[in-house]
Amino acid sequence: MAEDLTVGRVAELAGVSVRTLHHYDEIGLVRPSARTPAGYRACSADDVERLREVLAFRRLGFGLREIADLVDDPGTDPVARLRRLRGLLLERRDHAAAMVAAVDRELEARVTENGTTSSGGRLYDLIGAAYPATRRTEPRIAAQVWAALGDARTVLNVGAGTGSYEPPDREVTAVEPSAVMRARRPPGAARCVAADAERLPFEDQTFDAAMAFSTVHHWRDPIAGLREMRRVARRVVVFTHETGDPGWRHRFWLSRDYLPEVAGLVAGRPPLERLVRAVGGRTEPVLVPWDCADGFFEAHWRRPEAYLDEEVRRAVSVWTRVGPAAERRAVAALRADLDSGRWAERNPELAGLGAAELGLRLIVA
């Protein structure tokens, strides 16, 4: 007889969090049916097999309700479900191959011979290829975002990119307009719809919550996009940054001393107060830890050498938007100041700082 396993051990073996297993238990999807000699709940071999099926369907992008219908179907047995799963995997393989071909055609149409985008090219179609290398979920910021989602079980991620910050223990639907970004979402990511924030293809109040992480500044009409989020969800959580305060550009040494062009990028952008009013929410500051795992623009505030890395810069839209001349000048100046020790002389207060307030904000409605 197979030994029953504790919930913690099952989570470790399956590569999921204990919180995810607790959620599956709460909704009746996978319920530990055994007990350890000490009286703790445990998973039997049948429970583990059911979890394996659930996770396989989850990685294919099925919602939790759909998965429950599949695994609880009285007309199928495990062999029949495995055959169906195999067919779905083959479909995904063919779909992925077709998507890669479509992305290749789109890139060919949008990129000129000298490597610059054509006038119709989307910014993220250009920088998306660099994202997986340096843009990862920062767990401390993710915890703040996920806490702001409250008790939401169904979540819409607008401008989802490659899927960072999507909560693993909730039913997520993603929206992403860039074909390159969609193609680079990992196999286990939530299902992704090709659409723009300003025209979300969902009925009113479809979701418990809608989230957007570091994307509002790329929308054609941020106010319209936020109102759409409010329309389709009862709760809205947005990670963005403060640009209305005249002193914001001086908070971060990179834009203050090396890349003043950043100020021009936000000219005409709706101030934070307008974004908040659009959803009727509030704001809370988001501190950036010194060892931030996500490589967004401000992430390396205590690790200036990182900005000398081409791969780091390519995954941040700011560097593409300021243009190659400004980028070369800023990188050369930063390299010289690091070599001479001038950067350290300018920024002595950063040496022992664990987290920095750089104007990043959560809007919560």
Side-chain angles (χ1 to χ4, degrees):
M1 180 181 294
E3 181 184 358
D4 297 330
L5 300 173
T6 65
V7 172
R9 180 59 175 156
V10 170
E12 180 183 349
L13 293 173
V16 298
S17 67
V18 172
R19 183 178 178 185
T20 294
L21 294 187
H22 285 327
H23 177 51
Y24 289 173
D25 182 13
E26 290 172 5
I27 65 176
L29 190 58
V30 180
R31 282 183 168 155
S33 60
R35 293 277 179 179
T36 67
Y40 296 108
R41 301 185 73 189
C43 294
S44 66
D46 288 342
D47 300 333
V48 173
E49 173 61 21
R50 181 180 175 92
L51 176 62
R52 186 195 63 77
E53 289 189 52
V54 167
L55 294 178
F57 283 117
R58 195 76 179 97
R59 293 184 183 104
L60 283 169
F62 282 83
L64 297 181
R65 295 189 185 95
E66 296 174 286
I67 294 172
D69 291 339
L70 285 167
V71 298
D72 289 330
D73 184 355
T76 62
D77 57 23
V79 173
R81 289 197 293 273
L82 280 173
R83 285 176 177 153
R84 178 168 187 180
L85 181 60
R86 183 180 186 278
L88 291 170
L89 286 168
L90 291 174
E91 286 181 15
R92 169 164 281 206
R93 180 195 65 186
D94 295 341
H95 176 72
M99 182 176 287
V100 169
V103 170
D104 286 344
R105 290 193 297 272
E106 187 169 345
L107 283 171
E108 185 177 355
R110 291 187 175 188
V111 179
T112 62
E113 290 183 359
N114 65 2
T116 59
T117 55
S118 62
S119 58
R122 290 180 182 271
L123 177 61
Y124 273 112
D125 286 340
L126 178 62
I127 69 172
Y131 257 59
T134 64
R135 299 302 297 271
R136 296 178 291 273
T137 300
E138 163 50 52
R140 288 155 290 192
I141 294 178
Q144 186 174 352
V145 173
W146 297 344
L149 292 173
D151 61 356
R153 291 302 180 191
T154 57
V155 178
L156 178 68
N157 187 14
V158 182
T162 57
S164 296
Y165 298 93
E166 290 178 358
D169 58 343
R170 320 201 193 198
E171 186 174 340
V172 178
T173 300
V175 167
E176 172 53 52
S178 167
V180 172
M181 285 293 199
R182 294 195 302 272
R184 290 189 172 272
R185 291 174 64 83
R191 74 183 184 97
C192 191
V193 177
D196 292 312
E198 297 86 350
R199 305 173 90 178
L200 296 174
F202 306 104
E203 299 294 328
D204 293 359
Q205 300 298 289
T206 299
F207 303 94
D208 294 334
M211 61 177 284
F213 192 93
S214 195
T215 179
V216 173
H217 53 290
H218 293 296
W219 298 353
R220 288 189 300 272
D221 188 340
I223 300 300
L226 290 173
R227 287 173 177 163
E228 275 287 271
M229 292 176 68
R230 195 59 164 148
R231 178 183 66 80
V232 303
R234 64 178 176 82
R235 177 179 285 263
V236 173
V237 178
V238 177
F239 177 89
T240 185
H241 51 272
E242 168 70 83
T243 58
D245 177 5
W248 73 268
R249 72 193 67 177
H250 300 298
R251 291 175 179 165
F252 185 29
W253 55 263
L254 183 56
S255 54
R256 180 192 66 211
D257 300 329
Y258 302 97
L259 208 60
E261 290 84 356
V262 171
L265 299 182
V266 302
R269 186 182 300 169
L272 183 66
E273 292 76 10
R274 276 197 67 197
L275 302 183
V276 174
R277 285 199 303 271
V279 292
R282 59 179 174 81
T283 63
E284 55 185 66
V286 179
L287 302 183
V288 185
W290 78 269
D291 55 348
C292 185
D294 190 353
F296 51 74
F297 183 59
E298 299 89 349
H300 306 288
W301 58 269
R302 214 182 88 177
R303 297 168 289 169
E305 297 83 2
Y307 295 106
L308 305 181
D309 188 336
E310 171 78 14
E311 190 174 62
V312 168
R313 299 197 305 277
R314 289 289 66 80
V316 178
S317 62
V318 166
W319 294 101
T320 299
R321 295 178 67 199
V322 298
E327 179 179 0
R328 286 193 297 269
R329 185 208 68 240
V331 170
L334 175 58
R335 179 178 285 109
D337 284 354
L338 288 172
D339 290 344
S340 68
R342 189 179 181 202
W343 182 90
E345 292 173 0
R346 277 180 168 176
N347 304 283
E349 73 283 0
L350 302 183
L353 201 60
E357 207 292 75
L358 298 173
L360 301 180
R361 298 288 183 269
L362 270 192
I363 300 173
V364 184

